[in-house]
Amino acid sequence: MGPAADEGLARRLRALACTAPLHDLDARKVNLAGEYSVYGMAEVALAAIDLVTLNMDFDTGADHDQIVARLVPRVAAQAPRRPAVEHERVARWVLENLINVGSVDRGFRAVYGTFEPDGSYVRRDYDFKLIEEVPGPGGTVYLRTTDEAVNVLVGALDTDVTSAQIAAEVKLEVLISRGRLADAQLAAEQARYRTVQYSETLRRALDATRRNVRAVDWLEAVPDMIAEALDHVADRYRHENAILTNIRKARDESEEPEHKRRAAELVDIVKDCIRRHTQLQSRLLEAGPLFRAEQDRQAFATPLASSGIDLYGHLVAPVLPLPVERALRVTDAFFARGTGLRTPVSVRVGDLVDLLLTPPVEREHLGAEMPEPDLIATPDDSRFSEEQLAAAKELLDLPHDAPRRLSGLLAEARRREGSDLAYLVALLAVHAASPPVGTAYRQGEEKLLFAVDDGTELDDPEFGGADLIVGTALLDAAGMAADRTEAA
């Protein structure tokens, strides 16, 4: 095996890794709480990638809730008798897994092996994303598909964007001329995906330029890409206008309703391609001025002060071993200068003259009239009443030498007032499992409710867990009195 063959194998392994998250959705749907085997999660995932790709623009992306709303009918078609809440849950679950919400960097990782020139086998990590969240204006967050997601959707992995675009449009033109409109629609959608991917390449280069102009090769790489992209857009205009003419001709001459419908859909797709190419061309023409403006801005920007103060290393660590009289000199000098400068009220003679000659503003003796506030009574939405709380405290007011099981307390609470009182008793008992001893000690309380788990399982029709031992502990009143005396 030569280096070229091994590179082809590595490319196919990376391509296979890009499809793994989609297959993993069908493997993990059994972990959901409910019966979800009827749903084809990989099919929903491909539809989600398709929707995000077609709804994102050059500067913005697709809205999260809008994508979920458009995915719901596709999910509902797989199980029409299931409730709408379940359809929405499946759509959100698939979209969040494509974003990989649970991971730290929200990305996927695959491990594959390659052969080095010396014949050794080396394992490598391949990190990729399918749908990523990008910030938008006003604090909004948009969704954008990555190159890997577009490759998974189109089925042409690790290919050159320009050659794939030309091949797709030639294929589209041939299919239309032969009247195969169903295949032509698939080819037109693939051509549109390639246009989106080309725009993403330019957008990333411009974003990197805005952050750091030195990180992008504006001497050769980017100018060559812009020139190539402008030629690409000009060629695509000619092809797409010719294709649009042929589609309209096929639509007008066809007598079959299905062909007319396919042709009308193709007209919309090609019009969208022309719109995207127009937008791409405008961005290409703005790339040069943007580079020069960013170069001027970043070259003449005021450099940030890199020196800072390490409070621990410069102040705390050297001062701690010193005696108090020597440490006070250091801390007084630091905090006297660390508060900053005090700007005087009038720093110029003109400001002082204006301040002296300005007549005083007449004020009301009692100040401005305060508006009457609109007070709204807060509704009492508490679940438990004061009477129930008093009954629960009375039930839990146990002798200090006679603790009880939580199961017995719950049974007695149900006999008195029903399930609500039992629920309140359970809450107080669970809270007593970690009693605030220090707070009760400082507040001078004489006893405190506690709960201990000795491993006994709770046998109750409503609650599960441990059958806690609930009791009352007496606090050291003498110690509290001594502490209060010392504090006084």
Side-chain angles (χ1 to χ4, degrees), residues 39 44 51 65-79 83-92:
Y39 296 104
V44 178
L51 289 172
D65 294 334
Q66 184 180 7
I67 297 301
V68 172
R70 295 188 178 184
L71 272 179
V72 167
R74 296 175 179 268
V75 179
Q78 297 183 1
V85 177
E86 181 178 299
H87 297 156
E88 183 178 355
R89 183 191 178 191
V90 171
R92 290 189 181 275

Side-chain angles (χ1 to χ4, degrees), residues 88-157:
E88 183 178 355
R89 183 191 178 191
V90 171
R92 290 189 181 275
W93 183 78
V94 170
L95 187 58
E96 290 176 357
N97 278 272
L98 290 177
I99 303 172
N100 205 3
V101 173
S103 63
V104 177
D105 59 349
R106 301 205 168 183
F108 300 95
R109 170 170 292 184
V111 180
Y112 67 98
T114 58
F115 287 95
E116 295 297 312
D118 58 356
S120 60
Y121 183 77
V122 179
R123 295 189 181 274
R124 302 184 183 276
D125 292 334
Y126 175 49
D127 296 318
F128 65 96
K129 295 182 179 180
L130 295 179
I131 297 179
E132 56 183 353
E133 296 175 318
V134 295
T140 57
V141 177
Y142 292 109
L143 301 179
R144 298 189 73 92
T145 53
T146 60
D147 290 341
E148 292 84 0
V150 176
N151 284 331
V152 170
L153 181 63
V154 176
L157 296 113

Side-chain angles (χ1 to χ4, degrees), residues 184-316:
Q185 183 175 357
L186 179 60
E189 291 174 350
Q190 291 177 350
R192 180 166 56 176
Y193 297 142
R194 290 302 169 192
T195 303
V196 173
Q197 193 173 6
Y198 208 99
S199 300
E200 281 293 290
T201 304
L202 176 64
R203 186 185 66 84
R204 285 197 297 269
L206 296 181
D207 288 345
T209 302
R210 292 187 183 97
R211 290 191 297 269
N212 184 7
V213 73
R214 296 181 181 87
V216 184
D217 183 10
W218 279 91
L219 187 61
E220 294 181 359
V222 177
D224 292 344
M225 183 195 71
I226 292 176
E228 181 183 352
L230 287 172
D231 295 338
H232 160 80
V233 170
D235 292 339
R236 301 291 72 75
Y237 274 139
R238 288 192 294 270
H239 280 286
E240 287 165 355
N241 282 305
I243 291 170
L244 196 59
T245 303
N246 291 333
I247 296 174
R248 286 170 175 165
K249 182 179 178 181
R251 180 192 60 189
D252 297 338
E253 293 179 354
S254 177
E255 296 181 357
E256 297 184 9
E258 182 64 20
H259 278 204
K260 285 184 175 292
R261 186 183 65 82
R262 294 278 187 183
E265 292 177 355
L266 279 172
V267 169
D268 295 336
I269 294 175
V270 175
K271 282 183 177 180
D272 186 46
C273 289
I274 294 175
R275 181 188 65 82
R276 291 180 183 272
H277 280 135
T278 304
Q279 187 182 45
L280 177 60
Q281 183 185 29
S282 65
R283 299 298 181 181
L284 289 169
L285 295 177
E286 295 172 358
L290 184 142
F291 161 68
R292 290 187 289 273
E294 288 297 324
Q295 188 181 37
D296 294 341
R297 182 183 67 83
Q298 297 179 23
F300 298 104
T302 303
L304 297 177
S306 57
S307 61
I309 297 177
D310 182 6
L311 288 178
Y312 180 80
H314 295 166
L315 181 65
V316 178

